[in-house]
Amino acid sequence: MKRPLCLIALIITALIYLYLELFVSDDLYDHSDAGDGNFLQIEGYVDRKEYRVDYLGEVSPVIYIIPCNRNNLGKNKYIQCYMSNEDYIEPAIGQLVKVAGRKKSFESGRNPGEFDSRLYYSTLKIAYRITKARIEGVGGNKDIFQDGLYRIKYRLESVLDRCLSNEDAAVMKGVILGDKAFMDEDTKRLYKDAGIIHIMAVSGLHISILGMGLYKLLRKIRFPIIPASVLPIAFMYIYGQMCGMSASSVRAIVMFGIRLLAPVLGRTYDLLSALSLAEIMLLIEQPLYLYNSGFLFSFGAILGVTIVAPGIKLKIFSDVLVRMGLLPENEKSGTGSYKMKFADEKVTGRELVCEHVLNAFRSGIGIALATLPVYCMYYYTYPIHSLFLNLIVIPVVGILMIIGIITMSFGAVLVFLGAGDIHLLGLPVRSILLFYRFLCSSTVITRRMTWYMGHSGGLRVLVYIVVIGLFVYASFQNKRYCKLLIGAAIIILTFHIGPQLNISMIDVGQGDGIVISSGGRNVLIDGGSTSKKNVGKYQIIPFLKYKGIGSLDAIVLTHEDEDHLSGIMDILDDMEKGGIYVKKLILPEVNETCRGDNYHRLENRAEELKIPVFYINTGERFRIGKTEFLCINPELNMKVEGANAYSTVLFMKHGNFTALLTGDCEQEGQDNIKRAIHNNPDIFNNIDLLKVAHHGSKYTTDTEFLEMIKPRIALISCGEDNRYGHPNSEVLERLADIGTIIYRTDISGEIEVNVIDGGERLKISEFIKYEDARNRH
């Protein structure tokens, strides 16, 4: 059988995937009895060290310990310790240490699209974190090899700090040494949104420059083939160890080793077989890599170049180049390529450049098709302009890396000689990075060229892969319909039928955030939290991307309290950088004396971004798709004490479905609602859905109010174990007494209500599943 390793890799991958989907258990995670915040003392061996920038922007030393007692770690291996800078004495790698500090578990996401740090760190075999850790004892011998690599790495990084600005040094640490820890969030976002963050991964590019460069040099100076092959492999292994041995590094080094050893062993190198062996080795060592986007990108990119790209015909582009006189005319029509010349024919530089561009573009499309499922599963957006940016960026990365290594090497010599200011040495590197920032910095291009695909599940991905496989087969058979298969595959993977009406209460902790989608239109009602930092960045925006929402037709702020506002400010900051677009902002039209600092801060921010601001009061209406909203609070120019009382209250109607969204309404606001209901009993009776006011506070949602509306379903947004005791037990009892079904974000995470057949049927789903969850209410 040809390529048996490929078949074995497919079988192993399928079996591991089925195991993970059907039988994976909590033994992959932390089973320690100690809860978050508890004081721990751990004895173990230092496996590796690094420096990381924490959420306060401070550089903290981090060590990874393999504990002596691993009984409670499941299949994990390490404990990550964020060390206190105070009185920190750095241990050597390999030494036995006793560490004391506070435990911090990694959290699973509580909303669709939210980053699952528990799964991510389990992939790295890290069980949990210890914060503000201190070393209480050190013993044993150090690992001279690993500790030496660590010291070399950080000395090289210190040289980059001397040669470059902080921002440029952080980028080059990623490009050369695979260390992205010092990159600020804006720079990471810039590279990520442009689709070129992959240049930070130690992978095939580093191998081709360093490993193959060394091999060719040794062969050129007539080294025997065995040492000329073994030395570069050993060098790249050491380099990979120094840079952290990510999945992409292991894949590249394994394939490089096989590439050099194949001639030594008298075998022919087969790229797909080498790729399959690397995959088998990685998955056996860590099955959870199948859930790691970096692993999937690394292997997907190789498959895109080697399998998908050769089947892509760029006849339109090559024909254009022929008509422009840049390429010779094709002798065989319909082949999608220009005339290839014989070995003894002269090839002009112009033709070589055009050939390179066509092949690069073909490879880019192949990689895009192969990695599109990864974007759908983990990022939910795709930067279309990356197809063109990478035509420029990838060739220049090689130059950047070579110049960076030369700069770092000369800088190290100058530092050793005691030189002072050596920033001039980094000028070529700064010029290239400035060029990169120029290419990536257009927020208009980012917004217009970012495709908000939304999430696609496993079945869609499987069908997509099958159809792309059929395309590859059909293209080599020169079938005319092969191009149609690409379109069909993309539609299968990314096309989503919009809901009639979808109401999603996001789990923002102690706060509110509701996304309503109707007929392809979207509105966000509130978005803030007092228990979660950057709730817009980490919860709301990822959720919107997961749903494929690239623009909001409106944001409605019910009132200006932080637990309803903070995430909205994150969204507006994101919009300024080319993110999700906000078409208008709707605020409660209350007396000027009631409008506090947060109210005016939001108005000013909207004005800066040229977002139209509308003001709403009792009796006014607006529509989103086929859903109508009627405001029943606040009264025009309402004057009250406290923002909760003037909360915007919206009555929502879609077909036969009705809902009442009450914000944090209290006091006079509640009286306004009751008055509106009393005057229109037929409209408000038997409400389908009630968003319970003020997170279920004791002083809202009284019996009289509930008897007037008799809601079928109640949604309560509140944080886990919040200090306010929300929702209040009396409110829960009052709701239960009238037969209302209660859903709470502190129990269920995100809660989604799908309205079907104009309100005749409702489908309710909870992101976090509990056994008999209703009994917890």
Side-chain angles (χ1 to χ4, degrees), residues 501 503 652-659 688-689 753 755 758-759 762:
L501 176 62
I503 303 166
M652 182 171 70
K653 183 173 177 58
H654 178 94
N656 295 323
F657 173 82
T658 56
D688 291 300
L689 184 147
V753 180
V755 179
L762 301 181

Side-chain angles (χ1 to χ4, degrees), residues 12 28 112 126 142 199 217 236 250 267 317 338 346 364 370 396 483 543 617 650 727:
I12 289 175
L28 292 170
I126 300 172
K142 70 178 180 180
I199 68 174
L217 175 65
M236 291 313 302
V250 173
R267 305 296 297 271
F317 295 97
Y338 59 90
K346 185 178 180 181
V396 179
K483 293 180 181 178
F543 175 82
N617 62 73
L650 296 173

Side-chain angles (χ1 to χ4, degrees), residues 387-448:
L387 290 172
F388 305 98
L389 281 179
N390 279 299
L391 292 175
I392 304 171
V393 168
I394 291 178
V396 179
V397 168
I399 299 171
L400 174 65
M401 187 174 174
I402 292 171
I403 293 175
I405 292 172
I406 293 172
T407 300
M408 191 169 61
S409 302
F410 275 100
V413 173
L414 292 175
V415 169
F416 178 76
L417 295 175
D421 187 358
I422 57 174
H423 272 79
L424 189 62
L425 197 63
L427 183 60
V429 171
R430 288 198 295 274
S431 300
I432 295 175
L433 293 181
L434 184 63
F435 174 62
Y436 277 1
R437 280 192 286 273
F438 170 75
L439 289 176
C440 304
S441 60
S442 173
T443 57
V444 174
I445 292 176
T446 300
R447 180 177 298 123
R448 293 185 182 276

Side-chain angles (χ1 to χ4, degrees), residues 692-700 716 718 722 724-735 742 744 777:
V692 176
H694 202 185
H695 323 291
S697 167
K698 177 181 180 179
Y699 304 104
T700 63
I716 301 176
C718 57
N722 64 84
Y724 307 102
H726 295 157
N728 181 265
S729 58
E730 294 181 20
V731 172
L732 296 178
E733 288 177 10
R734 291 198 288 265
L735 287 165
I742 306 166
R744 297 163 44 180
H777 300 164

Side-chain angles (χ1 to χ4, degrees), residues 81 138 169 231 239 326 364 397 412 429 525 626 693 743 763:
C81 302
V138 180
L231 286 175
Y239 177 74
L326 299 177
V397 168
V429 171
I525 299 178
K626 295 183 179 180
Y743 293 87
K763 181 181 178 182

